[in-house]
Amino acid sequence: GESVGLHLPTLSVQEGDNSIINCAYSNSASDYFIWYKQESGKGPQFIIDIRSNMDKRQGQRVTVLLNKTVKHLSLQIAATQPGDSAVYFCAESTGSNDYKLSFGAGTTVTVRA
Amino acid sequence: ETGVTQSPTHLIKTRGQQVTLRCSSQSGHNTVSWYQQALGQGPQFIFQYYREEENGRGNFPPRFSGLQFPNYSSELNVNALELDDSALYLCASSPQGETQYFGPGTRLLVL
């Protein structure tokens, strides 16, 4: 069956450094990928998305890279700030009629001052 | 803030009881999806409603049911509550087929 998972459950980053969060997926039919950030006690917050016809997309301080050959997705955060401390989830969808999202277990990012 | 609201924020129930959770979607969004998030895990898709009809369902038993109203708000109903139903219940709204934006969730504890 399909699964979406992150390579590492935790990541500790020095403030000001760049962060890279990785995600592997197994469903080759997946064609839409999203990164969400979830802070304690809150719902997931949309960060950035990418469709399978692209391999890179940039936002404000964030970049998502998609490698369909090895079914790998990554989120890069530039100049990590204390407010970036949260759990990060990648989610994927096959773009089928219900557009359901399948989430991995998440990576907890802790920013050291 | 996404504009998606959920009520109540917290709820305590006992086994066997029934619960109704509510979600108001962001203005202009006609699709609502519900997810269950157990502690330390990613959200799991329960079902989706589009124009008042169920439009896809995850691996959840029939005692999980829902409704969507003409104003696109939605309810999640869970009957015969079990201890394992304790979780954060999230709703997400979107235009059909587009990015889903989540509400803050309802934390349900079943004793």
Side-chain angles (χ1 to χ4, degrees), chain B residues 26-42:
Chain B
Q26 186 171 324
S27 178
H29 289 184
N30 57 16
T31 301
V32 173
S33 304
W34 285 92
Y35 294 82
Q36 180 195 67
Q37 186 176 24
L39 199 61
Q41 297 183 24

Side-chain angles (χ1 to χ4, degrees), chain A residues 11-82:
Chain A
L11 180 66
S12 181
V13 183
Q14 186 69 38
E15 182 178 357
D17 286 354
N18 296 334
S19 303
I20 299 177
I21 306 167
N22 294 304
C23 178
Y25 64 95
S26 60
N27 187 354
S28 57
S30 298
D31 63 0
Y32 179 53
F33 304 88
I34 311 173
W35 282 99
Y36 285 95
K37 169 188 179 183
Q38 188 173 27
E39 296 174 281
S40 181
K42 297 184 178 181
Q45 174 189 351
F46 171 82
I47 301 174
I48 192 168
D49 59 2
I50 189 167
R51 295 198 179 271
S52 58
N53 61 350
M54 302 175 69
D55 54 19
K56 180 179 180 179
R57 192 162 186 224
Q58 290 183 289
Q60 187 175 8
R61 279 202 309 121
V62 294
T63 300
V64 56
L65 299 176
L66 174 63
N67 185 330
K68 295 180 290 294
T69 302
V70 296
K71 299 194 194 69
H72 183 268
L73 189 71
S74 68
L75 177 70
Q76 300 177 2
I77 305 174
T80 311
Q81 303 168 359

Side-chain angles (χ1 to χ4, degrees), chain A residues 32 36 38 97-99, chain B residues 35 37 48 55 96 99-100:
Chain A
Y32 179 53
Y36 285 95
Q38 188 173 27
N97 190 41
D98 59 24
Y99 297 97
Chain B
Y35 294 82
Q37 186 176 24
Q48 184 182 88
N55 182 45
Q96 175 65 352
T99 302
Q100 296 181 25

Side-chain angles (χ1 to χ4, degrees), chain A residues 36-47 61 81-89 107-109 111, chain B residues 1-2 37 39 41 43 88 90 102-105 107:
Chain A
Y36 285 95
K37 169 188 179 183
Q38 188 173 27
E39 296 174 281
S40 181
K42 297 184 178 181
Q45 174 189 351
F46 171 82
I47 301 174
R61 279 202 309 121
Q81 303 168 359
D84 294 328
S85 293
V87 180
Y88 289 80
F89 293 98
T107 291
T108 300
V109 173
V111 181
Chain B
E1 298 296 325
T2 62
Q37 186 176 24
L39 199 61
Q41 297 183 24
L88 180 67
L90 296 160
F102 285 83
R107 173 86 46 198

Side-chain angles (χ1 to χ4, degrees), chain B residues 9-52:
Chain B
T9 56
H10 296 82
L11 199 54
I12 300 175
K13 291 285 188 178
T14 56
R15 276 185 305 173
Q17 286 189 311
Q18 178 267 343
V19 68
T20 298
L21 310 181
R22 295 177 176 82
C23 173
S24 291
S25 59
Q26 186 171 324
S27 178
H29 289 184
N30 57 16
T31 301
V32 173
S33 304
W34 285 92
Y35 294 82
Q36 180 195 67
Q37 186 176 24
L39 199 61
Q41 297 183 24
Q44 298 295 310
F45 176 74
I46 302 174
F47 44 53
Q48 184 182 88
Y49 278 83
Y50 170 61
R51 293 186 175 180
E52 303 178 58

